[in-house]
Amino acid sequence: MDIKEFISKIPKAELHLHIEGTLEPELFFELAKRNGISIPYTTVNELRSAYQFDCLQDFLDIYYKGTQVLIHEQDFFNLTWAYLTKCKEQNVVHTEIMFDPQSHTDRGVAFETVINGISKACQKAKQECGISSFLIMSYLRHLSEESAFEILEMSKPFKHLIKAVGLDSSELGHPPSKFQRVFDASVKEGYIPLAHAGEEGPTEYIWEAIDILKIHRIDHGNRCLEDEKLIQEIMKRDLALKICPLSNKALQVVKDFKNHPLKKMLDLGLKVTVNSDDPAYFGGQLIANFEAITEELNLSKDEIVQLVRNSFQYALLSEDVKKIRLEELDKFLAI
Ligand code: ADE
Ligand code: ZN
């Protein structure tokens, strides 16, 4: 089996994926038409050519505009089902999906509409394809603490459908500490705390995310390598890093892809996982992310296996299910 086939066939988990970031231009056009929404693009190619970003904010401006075509439960279902179909094609057997409710409720779409559409697709994928999934409700950090509390309140009747809370959107100027109280309240509701930190923001934000929000894993965390004490702390607390290679390239978080920090992180023994973040915008699904780093960083098969093993080991799955997934992985490796 050559390396491409190996990457494709190995069963894997995805732990960092924004469902709104899976909206492919084709579905965007279809939903705009179905919902009678006028959009400033006439062709798929024209839209794709707008996906040129100098930084995270450049991307977020387009990403939030994309959400405007999502109105009805069926739209959220179609979006999520399209992603889960790609999971099946790529042998992604478990996925942890972030969603940004505020980007929808702020436009007058009910929380219930969003979560029902997404979770019905997840249930269908579990039944028909055996793909397990969890939902991570992410607070938008450019909005207020008050707005996050409103979302937390709205989520309560749907608590059984939500595994964790996250923190995403514009990082610079919005430190994790801004959300300390809403994270404390979220944990009291039973949600696991997670957050983006150190994607564009400084190492202090990673410290805050682990010390103040008490997160269980770090979304991105690329910049942790700038602080030796922080690296030691991340190892001590056994926190996994959810790295998104093609996202880092597209958002110019990493200037020179050949020197992507993932290799150094692996060499240090940090628990790295590979993820696609917003695949419709960054030029590739999970497999494409694995291929890109394998080629650019000259990763060995053993290193790929380590990354995949981490994706199960650091998933939010119960220990029993993790064991089953890891046994399936070992079975695949034994062939
Ligand atoms: N929302 C969607 N993708 C994101 C990213 N890469 N960073 C922060 N917020 C996001
Ligand atoms: Zn992200």
Side-chain angles (χ1 to χ4, degrees):
M1 208 184 293
D2 70 12
I3 199 80
K4 269 195 160 185
E5 192 182 351
F6 182 73
I7 288 171
S8 167
K9 290 199 170 151
I10 191 169
K12 41 200 166 289
E14 173 145 69
L15 307 183
H16 185 120
L17 180 283
H18 301 262
I19 199 64
E20 293 87 352
T22 68
L23 180 60
E24 293 290 343
E26 291 78 4
L27 184 58
F28 174 79
F29 275 96
E30 190 185 320
L31 294 179
K33 193 168 165 215
R34 190 158 96 192
N35 293 327
I37 293 166
S38 69
I39 48 171
Y41 304 98
T42 47
T43 65
V44 163
N45 282 345
E46 192 189 336
L47 178 55
R48 271 198 211 283
S49 64
Y51 296 173
Q52 306 283 339
F53 316 112
D54 284 334
C55 60
L56 174 59
Q57 193 59 49
D58 270 4
F59 155 69
L60 290 170
D61 292 342
I62 287 201
Y63 166 87
Y64 292 124
K65 280 194 191 123
T67 64
Q68 290 169 6
V69 299
L70 298 161
I71 310 279
H72 305 291
E73 185 181 307
Q74 186 66 40
D75 306 337
F76 289 93
F77 177 90
N78 290 152
L79 174 72
T80 310
W81 184 248
Y83 164 65
L84 291 164
T85 303
K86 293 203 173 88
C87 285
K88 182 167 185 245
E89 289 162 7
Q90 299 180 93
N91 292 305
V92 174
V93 296
H94 175 71
T95 176
E96 302 191 350
I97 300 175
M98 287 176 274
F99 69 113
D100 290 340
Q102 285 149 299
S103 68
H104 311 300
T105 54
D106 278 9
R107 300 179 289 112
V109 177
F111 188 96
E112 182 182 3
T113 303
V114 179
I115 193 132
N116 283 344
I118 297 172
S119 54
K120 280 179 189 173
C122 291
Q123 284 154 21
K124 184 174 153 85
K126 176 81 185 137
Q127 279 160 10
E128 293 184 11
C129 318
I131 297 171
S132 54
S133 54
F134 289 136
L135 297 185
I136 302 166
M137 176 175 79
S138 296
Y139 299 122
L140 298 183
R141 66 203 305 158
H142 68 276
L143 298 180
S144 64
E145 178 196 42
E146 188 190 354
S147 171
F149 266 112
E150 282 167 14
I151 283 295
L152 174 60
E153 203 52 41
M154 285 181 211
S155 77
K156 288 182 183 173
F158 306 96
K159 236 161 75 169
H160 56 292
L161 299 172
I162 302 167
K163 187 80 175 171
V165 289
L167 186 63
D168 62 3
S169 193
S170 323
E171 188 176 13
L172 293 169
H174 302 284
S177 49
K178 177 177 163 187
F179 296 94
Q180 177 171 11
R181 281 180 294 220
V182 76
F183 264 64
D184 285 348
S186 304
V187 169
K188 281 203 184 101
E189 290 303 321
Y191 299 136
I192 295 168
L194 308 170
H196 284 54
E199 181 184 16
E200 278 190 343
T203 51
E204 288 75 20
Y205 285 19
I206 306 179
W207 278 110
E208 282 193 9
I210 64 177
D211 278 341
I212 297 177
L213 303 186
K214 301 184 177 62
I215 57 171
H216 291 202
R217 298 187 306 219
I218 303 170
D219 286 292
H220 298 288
N222 290 33
R223 293 189 60 184
C224 74
L225 293 182
E226 295 168 23
D227 181 342
E228 186 55 42
K229 235 177 113 190
L230 179 57
I231 296 171
Q232 294 311 320
E233 195 61 27
I234 290 170
M235 297 228 210
K236 197 171 113 199
R237 298 191 198 198
D238 196 26
L239 299 172
L241 296 158
K242 292 184 270 175
I243 300 296
C244 307
L246 290 177
S247 162
N248 295 157
K249 190 177 185 185
L251 302 184
Q252 308 197 33
V253 164
V254 170
K255 301 289 172 213
D256 171 13
F257 201 55
K258 276 227 171 293
N259 285 315
H260 191 285
L262 181 139
K263 174 74 177 150
K264 181 145 188 242
M265 288 169 168
L266 269 179
D267 291 346
L268 286 168
L270 284 162
K271 304 304 179 192
V272 188
T273 64
V274 173
N275 307 278
S276 69
D277 206 5
D278 301 282
Y281 294 91
F282 301 148
Q285 305 290 323
L286 186 57
I287 283 180
N289 277 271
F290 271 101
E291 284 176 0
I293 45 152
T294 300
E295 192 178 322
E296 294 288 342
L297 306 180
N298 247 319
L299 296 189
S300 65
K301 229 177 194 177
D302 284 350
E303 285 171 318
I304 295 166
V305 171
Q306 183 64 57
L307 291 166
V308 170
R309 204 176 283 288
N310 290 345
S311 75
F312 292 114
Q313 198 71 56
Y314 292 88
L316 302 175
L317 293 162
S318 69
E319 290 307 315
D320 287 355
V321 178
K322 249 184 223 181
K323 193 165 167 270
I324 294 169
R325 291 302 195 193
L326 287 165
E327 280 167 8
E328 285 165 3
L329 173 63
D330 287 333
K331 223 184 208 170
F332 168 84
L333 295 171
I335 297 170

